[in-house]
Amino acid sequence: MGRSRRNCGYFLFLTTLDLALNNFSGEIFSSVGEMKMLELLSLWGNGGLNGTLPLSLFELSNLRMLYLDGNNFTGSISQDIGQLTMLKQLTISDNPITGVIPSTLGLCKELELLRIENTDIQGTIPEEVCQLKS
């Protein structure tokens, strides 16, 4: 995915980007945040995707489904995840993600599915997330 990062501008009006199960490697291109119309981003099952999640990912205010499981993402889930207020599904399982579940995830009032098994996330589920009604 690394070499195509500069060409992201051609996809500004995409609503769905499904790149699952393609054996991609490298980091998520930082210009992903320019795809403001994106509602579904699926990168699951590539195995070789790595690095930390770019902060620009959390600028996708229309994002409803984010599938990142089955890769090699590191670092922690940014507090900026709370900016994804339309998010309904987040799967980040099977990644060596560390840290805790951010309390700002509770700002994602539409959240219906959260999959974080087989990660290095520790601690408890924040009360803000437990109070979600979806």
Side-chain angles (χ1 to χ4, degrees), residues 12 14-15 33 35-41 57-66 83-88:
L12 293 178
L14 277 183
T15 58
M35 294 189 270
K36 301 293 185 194
M37 305 299 290
L38 208 57
E39 294 179 12
L40 180 146
L41 178 59
L57 183 65
F58 305 110
E59 296 172 10
L60 299 172
S61 58
N62 287 315
L63 200 62
R64 287 171 169 66
M65 291 162 275
L66 180 58
Q83 294 178 36
L84 302 178
T85 57
M86 303 295 290
L87 194 64
K88 289 183 175 250

Side-chain angles (χ1 to χ4, degrees), residues 10 15-16 27 31 37 45 47-48 51 71 81 86 91 96 99-100 117 120 124:
Y10 296 113
T15 58
T16 300
E27 297 181 353
S31 59
M37 305 299 290
N71 285 291
I81 192 127
M86 303 295 290
T91 64
V100 299
E117 69 267 8
D120 292 326
T124 59

Side-chain angles (χ1 to χ4, degrees), residues 105-124:
L105 188 60
L107 297 172
C108 302
K109 301 294 185 195
E110 303 295 319
L111 193 65
E112 298 171 347
L113 173 68
L114 174 62
R115 292 192 59 204
I116 56 171
E117 69 267 8
N118 199 24
T119 65
D120 292 326
I121 292 175
Q122 298 185 6
T124 59

Side-chain angles (χ1 to χ4, degrees), residues 2-44:
R3 292 189 181 201
S4 62
R5 74 182 83 188
R6 289 185 183 90
N7 298 328
C8 191
Y10 296 113
F11 303 121
L12 293 178
F13 298 103
L14 277 183
T15 58
T16 300
L17 182 58
D18 186 348
L19 299 173
L21 296 170
N22 279 294
N23 294 317
F24 286 125
S25 62
E27 297 181 353
I28 299 177
F29 42 92
S30 60
S31 59
V32 69
E34 295 174 19
M35 294 189 270
K36 301 293 185 194
M37 305 299 290
L38 208 57
E39 294 179 12
L40 180 146
L41 178 59
S42 179
L43 301 173
W44 72 272

Side-chain angles (χ1 to χ4, degrees), residues 26 46-52 68-75 94-97:
N46 279 291
L49 291 178
N50 58 39
T52 59
L68 301 172
D69 39 327
N71 285 291
N72 199 25
F73 294 120
T74 57
D94 301 311
N95 281 287
I97 295 282

